[in-house]
Amino acid sequence: MSLHSTLQPYADAWTHSVEAISELVQPLAEAEWNRRTPCPGWSVRDVVSHVIGLDCEMLGDPRPIHSLPRDLFHVTNEHQRYMEMQVDVRRHHTAPEMTSELEYVIIRRNRQLRNESRDPGTKVRGPLGSELTLEESMRRHAFDVWVHEQDLRTALGRPGNLDSPGALVARDVLLGELPRVVAEDAQAPRSSAIVFDVHGPVEFLRTIRVDIQGRGTLETAPALGPAATLTLDWETYVRLACGRVTPESVSDRLKTEGDPELTAAILRNFTVTQ
């Protein structure tokens, strides 16, 4: 048996991103592992620890038994507490320990993927004991690892892979969140349309239509006379949606037209990662 065809793009995206991460961190000096990344509260070492931890959980390894310090200012909810465990347990690991563990986990995960014969709809365990399908788990995982690759690239001044297989998975994941952001969180007016015009390595033009019941749907057809239009580049879109920057800090890379209160509400609620 081989990997189901609907899962293959997620496996390919993960492979591309995690190998890029390995290549980025392999030559780093010890001090460079302490560089801050755009991911709140996390250094280069912390981001790599998180990636290792994510893959250990995909492998079904037991979670570490570890008490978190009480002074982690960036840990504000249960989901962050859950994610921090795999990070904090590695905070004192040396550069060689980090790179060798990352390499070993990649080898193990590649073997797991080669032998993966389950159906995409198979239920698997997610964070905090949640249950989701294997397809959704692999999709989310490919998205997470690509976003963290970008965190590392920003911290190390090594831009790239903004149009990689992981970037295309990220585009679809983030677009899937847009109807909720616009219709529910930003409370866009009923019977309105909001256009997102994104350019750069990944480009798209999408409309969120809000119906008379206040439900949002994602459409590829352009809207005539939209209530608001947001125009920005792909990298800025990702950083905003993943909470890496504030709308104020990237206002020069962002053009808004239409109802200013509505665009402000959308940007206020744009972050979709936890």
Side-chain angles (χ1 to χ4, degrees), residues 75-192:
V75 178
T76 59
N77 59 45
E78 210 45 49
H79 183 268
Q80 289 170 351
R81 247 187 118 61
Y82 180 94
M83 291 301 175
E84 196 71 23
M85 204 70 81
Q86 295 276 14
V87 172
D88 195 66
V89 82
R90 294 176 174 84
R91 281 225 156 92
H92 302 293
H93 286 197
T94 63
E97 285 173 325
M98 293 298 297
T99 53
S100 59
E101 188 181 11
L102 178 62
E103 282 177 33
Y104 182 51
V105 167
I106 292 171
I107 289 166
R108 290 176 65 210
R109 277 281 287 142
N110 274 321
R111 187 185 304 131
Q112 182 190 39
L113 288 168
R114 278 198 306 273
N115 296 326
E116 182 59 82
S117 58
R118 289 176 294 178
D119 184 83
T122 305
K123 294 289 186 185
V124 297
R125 189 175 181 277
L128 292 167
S130 59
E131 212 179 51
L132 66 170
T133 65
L134 177 61
E135 181 174 2
E136 182 59 20
S137 173
M138 287 184 63
R139 181 172 178 257
R140 283 272 157 191
H141 189 56
F143 166 70
D144 284 344
V145 175
W146 178 80
V147 170
H148 291 307
E149 178 199 339
Q150 292 305 315
D151 287 333
L152 295 171
R153 288 186 176 283
T154 302
L156 300 169
R158 296 275 306 277
N161 283 354
L162 281 165
D163 58 353
S164 67
L168 302 182
V169 172
R171 174 199 62 195
D172 295 343
V173 168
L174 295 175
L175 282 173
E177 300 285 351
L178 264 188
R180 176 180 60 79
V181 167
V182 172
E184 296 175 34
D185 301 343
Q187 292 283 293
R190 296 177 180 210
S191 303
S192 66

Side-chain angles (χ1 to χ4, degrees), residues 6-21:
T6 60
L7 302 178
Q8 193 64 54
Y10 306 131
D12 293 344
W14 169 81
T15 301
H16 193 277
S17 295
V18 84
E19 286 179 355
I21 288 172

